[in-house]
Amino acid sequence: MSRLPLPEILPEVSPNPLLSVNSSDGSGKGDSTGVETTEVAIAPVSKHEPIVTRKELWSYYLYYNGDNGVGPNGYSMTLFQSLATAAGYDPVKGPGSDCSAPDASGQCVLPWGSGTKAVSSVVLVSNGVSFAVMTLIFTTIGSAADYGSFGRWLLLILTVICWGAQFASMSLTSPDRWGVAMALYMVGFITYGATLVFYAAVFPRLARNTPHARDLREKYERGEISAEEYEVEESLEKNRISNISTMHSNIGYIVTLALNLSLLLPREKDPKVNNYVLVLTNGYWVLLGIWWFIFQQPRPGPTLPKGEHYLTIGWKQIWIALKQYKKLPYTFTYLVAFFLLADGLNTTGTLVSICQNDKFSFSFLQNTYLGLAQAITSTISTLGFWYIQKYWKISTKKMFVVTNVVTILIPLWGMIGIWTDKFGFHNVWEFWAYNVMFGLFQAPYYAFSQTMMAELTPPGFDNMFFGLFGLSNRASSMIGPNVIQAIIDNTGNNWKGFPFLFALCTAASLVIWFAVDVTTGRRDAVAWAEKHRSYAETGVFSSEEDGVPERPKKA
């Protein structure tokens, strides 16, 4: 995977990157009360960067089309939970009982250490450990991807490991292998999550180097468009690539599930059909994903500074980045709030999936039908949200806020299931409704959250800050799974975990809505990158006293 070289921010193109203009866009804190003077920071670009070709852009989309999560994020968990349930027993009836018996109590436990643990808790523990390992990956080698061609090889290695774990699922054919199923699920889930983060770190660079983006830049430099108009159009270009790539992921979701029906329907009674489906799903990703590593153009970063190592520079970079929170307040406010929001959403999805798997008896076929409902609505909504945003030129934050509302409503609906069996993820129709609503609103959530991070990231330091974003997104779920599994162990009730998740999602959403000014944060990020442009050559930051110029106060 290519990494945008940090020399991108050398001032060879735009000698005056900070332009003072009047702003009144009403898009955040300090903008809604009237006209004020703000500094529009326009990021310099390097003309040494190759322009994105059609083959390169399509191979980028196709990688995400294959990396759609059906296998490592869906089927693998279902297979693991199914084998664990078959190997467990009903604690009410004692060892040797069948958790799936008609007169079973609804609880199921496995031997765990010196005691037992509920199967649902085991699944949540595996997720929590997986997210902890992702955290280690992102903190240790995330920022190192900014140097040389390390990022390109990192994505390739992670992708190949994930492919291997998925193909190895052919060995999971009996309940006594639930431990191996857990290990393969974790390896696949960890590497899958990591591929998403390092894949996402590429898109801001692609957006800045498309023919349209370069044309906009030339018009701006010739004085044909204003700084603010350029800023808006560049943001829309980022949204275009982010939304199209997300749409391709959803298209891949649909195609993969449809292909799987060619096995699930005729071989429904075959005990190994689930294993065959995982192989088919993974094969689809291999077929589409390999092209990115072939057509990707070289954009190597600077060489690693003397005395540094790929395994240590990541921690130093994160420490340096964290110390900038006063100079990039909106960037870090968003990272912290999104950490909690992603934790709540990811854990909510896991908990709903556990309930869904129990309801449909771990049926790959039923999960495929539900997945198709989600995939089709996801594709429609991604295109619809993008069209609405483009037509009315709505800000990324406002679009993201709309998706946040449903993020909050999902755990709220699950809470109802504590007090009644009529609603709250107890009925078949509710899981159909959940997958449709998730598709309609949560697919755009991923696109807009990614674009907001790109807006708030200093140009040229994409991996440093997308590594932190990876902690906030894919590696955030260390709190939720541990809290929820403890609640389930103590109560024996899966639904008792929803109130905590509702509170977590609500609190995080309110912070994003009212405390993150994307317009000012973007300008701060560009100014910060301009100030530290020498870091690309020396690996040493300038003095802390020479911070980003203070934003002019309101008149």
Side-chain angles (χ1 to χ4, degrees), residues 379-449:
T379 305
I380 294 171
S381 68
T382 303
L383 289 172
F385 270 71
W386 164 236
Y387 176 79
I388 292 170
Q389 182 186 29
K390 182 180 179 181
Y391 186 83
W392 280 285
K393 295 188 182 297
I394 302 173
S395 71
T396 302
K397 179 180 174 180
K398 290 178 181 177
M399 301 298 289
F400 188 43
V401 165
V402 174
T403 67
N404 289 167
V405 174
V406 176
T407 303
I408 294 172
L409 291 178
I410 293 172
L412 177 62
W413 186 264
M415 282 174 57
I416 301 174
I418 298 174
W419 302 288
T420 177
D421 291 337
K422 294 181 179 180
F423 303 103
F425 299 121
H426 287 290
N427 306 290
V428 170
W429 69 266
E430 290 180 285
F431 293 104
W432 281 99
Y434 162 76
N435 280 277
V436 169
M437 292 301 295
F438 193 98
L440 288 175
F441 291 96
Q442 295 305 282
Y445 159 95
Y446 290 107
F448 292 125
S449 65

Side-chain angles (χ1 to χ4, degrees), residues 188-300:
F189 188 59
I190 290 166
T191 50
Y192 162 71
T195 62
L196 294 183
V197 171
F198 293 114
Y199 167 88
V202 176
F203 106 87
R205 305 129 191 241
L206 291 180
R208 288 194 291 267
N209 286 287
T210 62
H212 178 62
R214 287 291 186 89
D215 182 57
L216 283 172
R217 185 70 187 207
E218 291 174 1
K219 287 182 179 179
Y220 161 68
E221 290 168 1
R222 292 194 300 264
E224 296 177 12
I225 59 175
S226 67
E228 280 196 323
E229 185 178 356
Y230 172 78
E231 193 177 45
V232 170
E233 292 298 328
E234 186 193 39
S235 176
L236 286 173
E237 182 71 350
K238 291 176 184 175
N239 275 286
R240 182 181 74 87
I241 292 179
S242 181
N243 277 279
I244 291 176
S245 63
T246 301
M247 180 196 70
H248 268 280
S249 176
N250 293 322
I251 291 174
Y253 200 19
I254 295 172
V255 174
T256 302
L257 293 172
L259 284 174
N260 291 340
L261 290 177
S262 66
L263 285 175
L264 289 168
L265 290 175
R267 305 181 69 91
E268 185 177 2
K269 304 300 182 182
D270 189 330
K272 293 185 179 180
V273 66
N274 294 343
N275 308 82
Y276 297 147
V277 165
L278 270 168
V279 170
L280 177 61
T281 299
N282 197 48
Y284 179 83
W285 181 10
V286 173
L287 181 63
L288 271 66
I290 195 67
W291 301 108
W292 169 242
F293 303 105
I294 295 173
F295 292 120
Q296 174 189 16
Q297 295 190 86
R299 296 185 181 93

Side-chain angles (χ1 to χ4, degrees), residues 503-527:
L504 196 62
C505 291
T506 301
S509 294
L510 290 174
V511 172
I512 292 173
W513 297 353
F514 298 107
V516 177
D517 180 353
V518 177
T519 300
T520 305
R522 177 173 57 240
R523 295 167 185 174
D524 285 349
V526 173

Side-chain angles (χ1 to χ4, degrees), residues 75-92:
Y75 286 150
S76 290
M77 176 180 162
T78 300
L79 184 59
F80 158 42
Q81 188 181 345
S82 173
L83 294 177
T85 301
Y89 63 89
D90 188 336
V92 176

